[in-house]
Amino acid sequence: MTTPQQLLVQTAARNNAEWCAAMSRSHDVACEFGTQAWTAPARTPLYYPDAVTLVPGADPAALAERIDVTTPGASVKDSFADLDLTEAGFHVLFEAQWIHRPAGAPAITSDLAWEVAGDPDMLRAWALAWDGGDGNAGLFRPELLDDPATFVLAGQSPDGRVIAGAVASRSDHAVGISNVFALDGGPDAAWPVVLDAVHRLFPGLPVVGYEHGQDLAAAVRHGFQPVAPLRVWLQG
């Protein structure tokens, strides 16, 4: 990995860890930032890791000591894809690519109206649309609305229904995008409204995140560049 790549990964990993921290806090899960990783000693919300590495070459043994490995289901976001956690009982759940869209990339406009969810009712409408009937809409709690760095972006149909969106997480050097969805058309339908919102809200910041498979291909079609791989490890 080149030095510019490493710096981009560090920026994206830190941003992602801050978003994981915000989500954990909204569920009353304590967490902390260390020199090598962000960690939570108790199990984090569904889909969210118990640790995110922040620098290359993190110590696997020290990492395992800071999370709950006694209960099956612990997960670690290996931001630099350089850990071996097999001895601690982990296996690779999936691999993905960090992605980056420069601040100076061409703006994208959308035909959809959008707003930042600002009350529990709008957040609930967004969560129900994101969830698609899987029963996990309660993952996004009203406490998220109190986090000044979290922006739940809701793309709306002409009749005001939430039909697309994402979560934007602002940090010092980038804005991270996660939970991209559209009820019809998938990420190719979602990215225009999401990037329109991001460009207007954070015009001077690059955009980061991670994707894999067809979602990665869609992000590339909308101006993102793959930067470097990451791995998510799951215990048990």
Side-chain angles (χ1 to χ4, degrees), residues 8 100-107 173-175 198-199 202-208 223:
L8 279 177
H100 170 256
R101 196 174 193 272
H173 304 294
V175 54
V198 168
H199 177 73
F202 318 105
L205 288 176
V207 186
V208 295

Side-chain angles (χ1 to χ4, degrees), residues 131-155:
D131 180 61
D134 288 341
N136 295 315
L139 183 65
F140 294 90
R141 295 182 173 182
E143 288 81 357
L144 272 179
L145 300 174
D146 297 327
D147 188 279
T150 298
F151 299 76
V152 178
L153 308 176

Side-chain angles (χ1 to χ4, degrees), residues 14 42 52 70 120 174 213 234:
R14 177 77 190 199
V52 179
T70 62
L234 179 66

Side-chain angles (χ1 to χ4, degrees), residues 170-229:
R170 186 191 63 217
S171 54
D172 289 342
H173 304 294
V175 54
I177 299 296
S178 62
N179 299 284
V180 178
F181 77 93
L183 297 186
D184 295 302
D188 280 311
W191 276 120
V193 66
V194 170
L195 289 173
D196 182 28
V198 168
H199 177 73
R200 295 174 187 274
L201 291 169
F202 318 105
L205 288 176
V207 186
V208 295
Y210 71 91
E211 298 289 358
H212 63 99
Q214 293 303 310
D215 291 341
L216 173 61
V220 170
R221 286 193 291 273
H222 288 86
F224 286 89
Q225 301 163 349
V227 177

